[in-house]
Amino acid sequence: MKIVTILGTRPEITKLSPLIPLLDKEFEHILIHTGQHYDYEMDKVFFEELNLRNPDYMLNIGSDTQAKQTAKMMVGVEEVLLKEKPNAMMVFADTNTPLAGCLVAAKLNIPLIHLEAGCRSFNKEMPEEINRIVCDHCSDYLLAPDNNAKNNLLKEGLSENRIKVVGSTAIEASLRNVIISEQKSNILEELDVKKDDFIVVTVHRAENTNNSEVLKSLVEAINKISDKVKVIFPIHPRTKKIIEQNSLSFSHNIKIIGPQSYINMLKLLNNCLFVMSDSGGIQEEAATFNTPCLVLRNETEWTYLTDIGKNILLGTNKEKIISKTEDLLNNKEKIQQIKNINVDLNKEASKKIIEEIKNEFSK
Ligand code: UD1
């Protein structure tokens, strides 16, 4: 069986890292990289740290408007699929990269597998929400991370026999790599911080960065919080650019650093008091390390973590962020209670994914 997988952004590389060697072993596996992310620290460093083999096709698309970026990717993917004629195409999650892959495969009638299917924020202002819905409804096989995601698919009328719950490879990747990260990363020494004496903040989602009111509210809230605790902020290139364009500035108490490598990021997440973030991946990585995650959004796809209080949905209102965060900083017992909440994490998602693909295609 020949299967094509497509990736292109930082989270796709880290989350697919446990799966790629298994796909290589079990199938004739072709890997396409769209080049949606292209800076060394957003792309290549992850291939190096995770010992990942090179993609078979590198499309070098880079940044552009939503439509142009997606369209250019589609042209590149179509050429590869026409040449390779795979038995199946697998797309992952919700960026423009899987959107482009899924539209091309669906129109070429290539059986399509969507991994991380069924996640919903119910906020159509997010480009990712549009991408997910399109990917799910174009796909033949839906591999969902949890039962909440499966229920979202059922509610949209997708048939149950096409849906399988397989868990999340983010958990597997972070558990596997945190051991290496604890040994190899010197980021705590470099930043002069110690376990539990700092917090980590990340912000990059379009609905936060592209709305100047929301962005201002987030920056002001983080500035205020930095009076009380050391803040480490690994900044995404998108956020850096927009902060400069909006003439906003961070307090001197905040350590702004560039995008971090995977092993540095895992070390920061495993050692901080808590993290404040709008990232999808970080919500699960933090839970894996029992680090509380305050979600800087009004909704989340990872409701299995907020439902049980492991993560806290904070929103984007400045006063609410400040008061809730200060409450937590003043209440170390509450932080410990959150750390103690037990989550049943599926640690073998990639094995299950391979099993499900084999089952489906041997029928
Ligand atoms: C994309 C995904 C988002 C994912 C995120 C992870 C979409 C619609 N969004 O957002 O779901 O959570 O990746 O990071 O696909 N840039 C660089 N260097 C890079 C990559 C990006 O400088 O290597 C800058 C460029 O200025 C670009 C901007 O970031 O214009 C946005 O990049 P883009 O790939 O469009 O989206 P992300 O914000 O990274």
Side-chain angles (χ1 to χ4, degrees), residues 36-39 63 95-96 128 204-205 236-238 241:
Q36 176 171 350
H37 285 173
Y38 44 89
D39 286 341
S63 305
T95 72
N96 290 341
E128 295 85 353
H204 81 281
R205 298 225 85 90
H236 188 290
R238 153 201 285 288
K241 206 194 285 177

Side-chain angles (χ1 to χ4, degrees), residues 6 29 39 81 91 116 134 140 185 187 231 266 291-293 317 346 358:
I6 185 164
H29 179 223
D39 286 341
L81 295 189
V91 303
E116 209 177 276
V134 175
D140 303 285
S185 169
I187 190 72
V231 178
L266 292 187
T291 298
C293 178
N317 174 277
N346 178 340
K358 281 181 156 176

Side-chain angles (χ1 to χ4, degrees), residues 14-15 17-18 50 168-183 262-263 266-267 269-270 281 284-291 304 343-349:
T14 56
K15 291 196 204 177
S17 66
L50 292 161
S168 165
T169 50
I171 291 155
E172 204 177 337
S174 38
L175 279 175
R176 202 180 283 180
N177 289 293
V178 73
I179 304 160
I180 304 167
S181 138
E182 283 300 322
Q183 289 161 357
Y262 191 46
I263 65 159
L266 292 187
K267 184 124 183 193
L269 293 176
N270 196 30
E284 283 199 299
E285 285 160 357
T288 310
F289 304 147
N290 288 312
T291 298
Y304 79 99
V343 205
D344 188 16
L345 297 168
N346 178 340
K347 294 167 191 162
E348 296 206 309

Side-chain angles (χ1 to χ4, degrees), residues 120-122 280 283 295 297-303 306 313:
R120 293 290 181 272
S121 63
F122 304 100
Q283 292 173 53
V295 182
R297 291 174 52 192
N298 296 312
E299 67 287 305
T300 177
E301 302 76 20
W302 304 110
T303 45
T306 45
L313 201 56

Side-chain angles (χ1 to χ4, degrees), residues 9 25 36 43 91 101-102 107 111 139 170 178 203 233 270 280 295 308 314 360:
T9 65
K25 190 166 153 242
Q36 176 171 350
D43 173 43
V91 303
C102 115
K107 295 203 176 184
S139 291
V178 73
V203 174
F233 193 145
N270 196 30
V295 182
I308 58 167
L314 214 53
E360 280 306 331

Side-chain angles (χ1 to χ4, degrees), residues 224-249:
K224 184 83 176 50
I225 291 159
S226 75
D227 291 341
K228 301 257 165 43
V229 66
K230 286 183 202 164
V231 178
I232 306 293
F233 193 145
I235 199 159
H236 188 290
R238 153 201 285 288
T239 313
K240 183 166 185 278
K241 206 194 285 177
I242 299 178
I243 295 251
E244 284 161 8
Q245 283 163 357
N246 281 268
S247 308
L248 292 167
S249 57

Side-chain angles (χ1 to χ4, degrees), residues 28-70:
E28 186 181 346
H29 179 223
I30 310 287
L31 184 64
I32 306 179
H33 191 321
T34 59
Q36 176 171 350
H37 285 173
Y38 44 89
D39 286 341
Y40 173 80
E41 64 272 20
M42 296 290 284
D43 173 43
K44 196 102 183 103
V45 65
F46 300 100
F47 279 85
E48 289 171 4
E49 282 185 347
L50 292 161
N51 280 321
L52 285 178
R53 54 93 151 190
N54 287 329
D56 301 291
Y57 292 92
M58 185 70 212
L59 304 182
N60 291 319
I61 303 301
S63 305
D64 216 319
T65 61
Q66 293 284 322
K68 284 186 188 161
Q69 186 181 55
T70 311

